[in-house]
Each structure stands twice: as C-alpha cells, then as structure tokens.
Amino acid sequence: MRTALDTYVKPDQLALLFTGERDGNALRRPNFNQRSRWTEVVAKMGLKGLHFHDLRHAGNIWASKAGTSTKDLMARMGHDDMRAALIYQRATSDADGRIADRLSRLVEEHRQGATDEG
C-alpha cells in the first residue's frame, strides 16, 4: 500500500489521494467509482464490500474516540447539526475507560502536589 501511495500521490502533505486524470483535481461523486476502480481495488486488497463512505465513518469514529469535541467533530464532518456528531460520540466502554484513567491521573497529580507542598 505504501508503495502505491509513494508512486501515485504527490509528496505534498495536503495532496489529494483520488484525482482526475487530466487536471489533478478531486474526482467528483458521479465518476468516482469508475475512475478509481474502487470495487476492483478494494477486492484486490481483500476488502471486498468496503464502500468509500465507510472510510469517512471510520475516521469520524476514530476522531471521536480520540476525544474530539462535538464542535470540532461537526466541523470535520461539515455538519451544522450536532445530531450526527453525537452519534459518533455515543458512550462506549472505551470512553468510560479513558475517563476513569484520566480521573485517576488527576487525583494522583493532586495527591502528589499536596504531598510536595505540605
């Protein structure tokens, strides 16, 4: 996968991954699957049935799990309604664990600070 990226994607950090043949601009929705040969490519990668929109969904879930705020998640998704962002931020056992770990660290930092000062 890395070799393909190195071969076909410009080295610029903001370079587009899927571009038109003539102008290097983004592919548009009506011709994306045909031009990118999406179905064929994902099948070769062993990911048959993966839809392009699944990447957006996965990215938003990971962003949410990384602690992205509702407002930032909305901006990332291009939404002005918080309903979609809240779906990605639904409570999970992962979130509960992260919250508990962070609270434990805060308590420990407070205890160390109190011990150091007194």
Side-chain angles (χ1 to χ4, degrees):
M1 176 79 122
R2 184 74 204 166
T3 302
L5 292 175
D6 291 340
T7 302
Y8 298 107
V9 178
K10 293 177 185 175
D12 177 8
Q13 189 174 16
L14 299 176
L16 298 173
L17 184 58
F18 301 103
T19 61
E21 297 169 4
R22 293 187 199 138
D23 56 13
N25 289 325
L27 289 175
R28 300 293 171 222
R29 181 176 273 186
N31 62 3
F32 176 80
N33 283 335
Q34 179 184 4
R35 293 280 172 97
S36 69
R37 297 188 339 238
W38 180 263
T39 304
E40 175 187 334
V41 170
V42 297
K44 283 182 181 179
M45 293 172 61
L47 300 170
K48 187 176 180 179
L50 177 71
H51 298 95
F52 186 76
H53 193 78
D54 295 339
L55 301 178
R56 176 179 166 88
H57 183 68
N60 289 329
I61 288 173
W62 292 332
S64 178
K65 285 187 174 193
T68 305
S69 71
T70 304
K71 184 176 179 179
D72 288 339
L73 195 55
M74 287 169 58
R76 184 177 198 276
M77 295 186 306
H79 291 189
D80 56 3
D81 178 4
M82 68 172 35
R83 188 180 68 77
L86 293 174
I87 290 170
Y88 289 108
Q89 291 180 322
R90 65 185 178 272
T92 65
S93 58
D94 290 349
D96 290 341
R98 282 194 314 275
I99 291 167
D101 290 344
R102 182 66 183 136
L103 288 171
S104 293
R105 283 195 304 271
L106 289 171
V107 167
E108 188 58 35
E109 289 169 8
H110 177 74
R111 285 181 179 163
Q112 289 175 356
T115 303
D116 293 342
E117 294 173 5

